[in-house]
Short mmCIF file of all heavy atoms in Angstrom, two decimals:
data_model
loop_
_atom_site.label_atom_id
_atom_site.label_comp_id
_atom_site.label_asym_id
_atom_site.label_seq_id
_atom_site.Cartn_x
_atom_site.Cartn_y
_atom_site.Cartn_z
N ALA A 29 175.33 -36.63 170.88
CA ALA A 29 175.98 -36.51 172.19
C ALA A 29 177.27 -37.31 172.24
O ALA A 29 178.30 -36.83 172.72
CB ALA A 29 175.03 -36.96 173.29
N LEU A 30 177.24 -38.53 171.72
CA LEU A 30 178.45 -39.36 171.72
C LEU A 30 179.55 -38.76 170.84
O LEU A 30 180.73 -38.94 171.10
CB LEU A 30 178.12 -40.77 171.26
CG LEU A 30 177.32 -41.61 172.24
CD1 LEU A 30 176.79 -42.87 171.57
CD2 LEU A 30 178.16 -41.97 173.46
N ALA A 31 179.12 -38.03 169.81
CA ALA A 31 180.08 -37.39 168.91
C ALA A 31 180.57 -36.05 169.43
O ALA A 31 181.45 -35.43 168.84
CB ALA A 31 179.46 -37.22 167.53
N GLY A 32 180.00 -35.59 170.55
CA GLY A 32 180.51 -34.39 171.19
C GLY A 32 179.63 -33.16 171.17
O GLY A 32 180.05 -32.10 171.61
N ASN A 33 178.40 -33.27 170.66
CA ASN A 33 177.50 -32.12 170.66
C ASN A 33 176.08 -32.60 170.89
O ASN A 33 175.39 -33.00 169.96
CB ASN A 33 177.58 -31.36 169.33
CG ASN A 33 176.67 -30.15 169.28
OD1 ASN A 33 175.91 -29.89 170.21
ND2 ASN A 33 176.75 -29.41 168.19
N LYS A 34 175.63 -32.55 172.13
CA LYS A 34 174.31 -33.09 172.47
C LYS A 34 173.17 -32.37 171.77
O LYS A 34 172.06 -32.87 171.73
CB LYS A 34 174.10 -33.08 173.99
CG LYS A 34 174.06 -31.71 174.61
CD LYS A 34 173.91 -31.81 176.11
CE LYS A 34 173.88 -30.42 176.72
NZ LYS A 34 173.71 -30.48 178.16
N ARG A 35 173.44 -31.23 171.17
CA ARG A 35 172.40 -30.48 170.45
C ARG A 35 172.53 -30.65 168.93
O ARG A 35 171.93 -29.90 168.17
CB ARG A 35 172.47 -29.02 170.83
CG ARG A 35 172.25 -28.81 172.33
CD ARG A 35 172.34 -27.37 172.70
NE ARG A 35 171.32 -26.62 172.00
CZ ARG A 35 170.27 -26.05 172.57
NH1 ARG A 35 170.13 -26.14 173.88
NH2 ARG A 35 169.39 -25.39 171.87
N GLY A 36 173.28 -31.64 168.48
CA GLY A 36 173.57 -31.80 167.06
C GLY A 36 172.76 -32.85 166.33
O GLY A 36 173.19 -33.37 165.31
N ALA A 37 171.56 -33.16 166.81
CA ALA A 37 170.75 -34.21 166.19
C ALA A 37 170.44 -33.92 164.72
O ALA A 37 170.44 -34.82 163.88
CB ALA A 37 169.45 -34.42 166.97
N ARG A 38 170.18 -32.67 164.39
CA ARG A 38 169.89 -32.33 162.99
C ARG A 38 171.11 -32.55 162.11
O ARG A 38 170.99 -32.96 160.95
CB ARG A 38 169.40 -30.89 162.87
CG ARG A 38 167.99 -30.73 163.41
CD ARG A 38 167.54 -29.28 163.26
NE ARG A 38 166.31 -29.09 163.99
CZ ARG A 38 165.14 -28.84 163.41
NH1 ARG A 38 165.06 -28.75 162.11
NH2 ARG A 38 164.07 -28.67 164.14
N GLN A 39 172.29 -32.29 162.64
CA GLN A 39 173.51 -32.55 161.88
C GLN A 39 173.67 -34.05 161.63
O GLN A 39 174.11 -34.47 160.56
CB GLN A 39 174.74 -31.99 162.61
CG GLN A 39 176.04 -32.22 161.87
CD GLN A 39 176.14 -31.47 160.55
OE1 GLN A 39 175.42 -30.50 160.33
NE2 GLN A 39 176.98 -31.94 159.67
N VAL A 40 173.30 -34.87 162.60
CA VAL A 40 173.34 -36.33 162.42
C VAL A 40 172.43 -36.71 161.25
O VAL A 40 172.82 -37.50 160.38
CB VAL A 40 172.93 -37.06 163.71
CG1 VAL A 40 172.78 -38.57 163.46
CG2 VAL A 40 173.93 -36.79 164.82
N ALA A 41 171.23 -36.14 161.21
CA ALA A 41 170.31 -36.43 160.11
C ALA A 41 170.92 -36.01 158.77
O ALA A 41 170.81 -36.74 157.77
CB ALA A 41 168.98 -35.73 160.34
N ARG A 42 171.58 -34.86 158.73
CA ARG A 42 172.21 -34.41 157.48
C ARG A 42 173.33 -35.35 157.05
O ARG A 42 173.47 -35.67 155.87
CB ARG A 42 172.74 -32.98 157.64
CG ARG A 42 171.66 -31.93 157.57
CD ARG A 42 172.23 -30.52 157.44
NE ARG A 42 172.79 -30.03 158.69
CZ ARG A 42 172.09 -29.45 159.65
NH1 ARG A 42 170.80 -29.30 159.53
NH2 ARG A 42 172.69 -29.01 160.72
N VAL A 43 174.13 -35.80 158.01
CA VAL A 43 175.22 -36.74 157.67
C VAL A 43 174.63 -38.05 157.15
O VAL A 43 175.11 -38.59 156.15
CB VAL A 43 176.13 -36.98 158.90
CG1 VAL A 43 177.08 -38.15 158.66
CG2 VAL A 43 176.90 -35.71 159.25
N LEU A 44 173.60 -38.54 157.79
CA LEU A 44 172.97 -39.77 157.31
C LEU A 44 172.43 -39.60 155.90
O LEU A 44 172.60 -40.48 155.05
CB LEU A 44 171.84 -40.19 158.26
CG LEU A 44 172.29 -40.83 159.55
CD1 LEU A 44 171.14 -40.93 160.54
CD2 LEU A 44 172.89 -42.20 159.30
N HIS A 45 171.81 -38.47 155.64
CA HIS A 45 171.24 -38.21 154.32
C HIS A 45 172.32 -38.10 153.25
O HIS A 45 172.19 -38.65 152.16
CB HIS A 45 170.39 -36.94 154.35
CG HIS A 45 169.80 -36.59 153.04
ND1 HIS A 45 168.73 -37.27 152.51
CD2 HIS A 45 170.13 -35.64 152.14
CE1 HIS A 45 168.43 -36.76 151.32
NE2 HIS A 45 169.27 -35.77 151.08
N SER A 46 173.42 -37.43 153.58
CA SER A 46 174.44 -37.16 152.57
C SER A 46 175.54 -38.21 152.48
O SER A 46 176.19 -38.31 151.43
CB SER A 46 175.07 -35.79 152.83
OG SER A 46 175.79 -35.80 154.05
#
Side-chain angles (χ1 to χ4, degrees):
L30 289 168
N33 180 357
K34 65 183 179 179
R35 300 179 61 111
R38 288 180 190 248
Q39 180 65 21
V40 172
R42 282 192 285 276
V43 169
L44 284 167
H45 179 74
S46 66

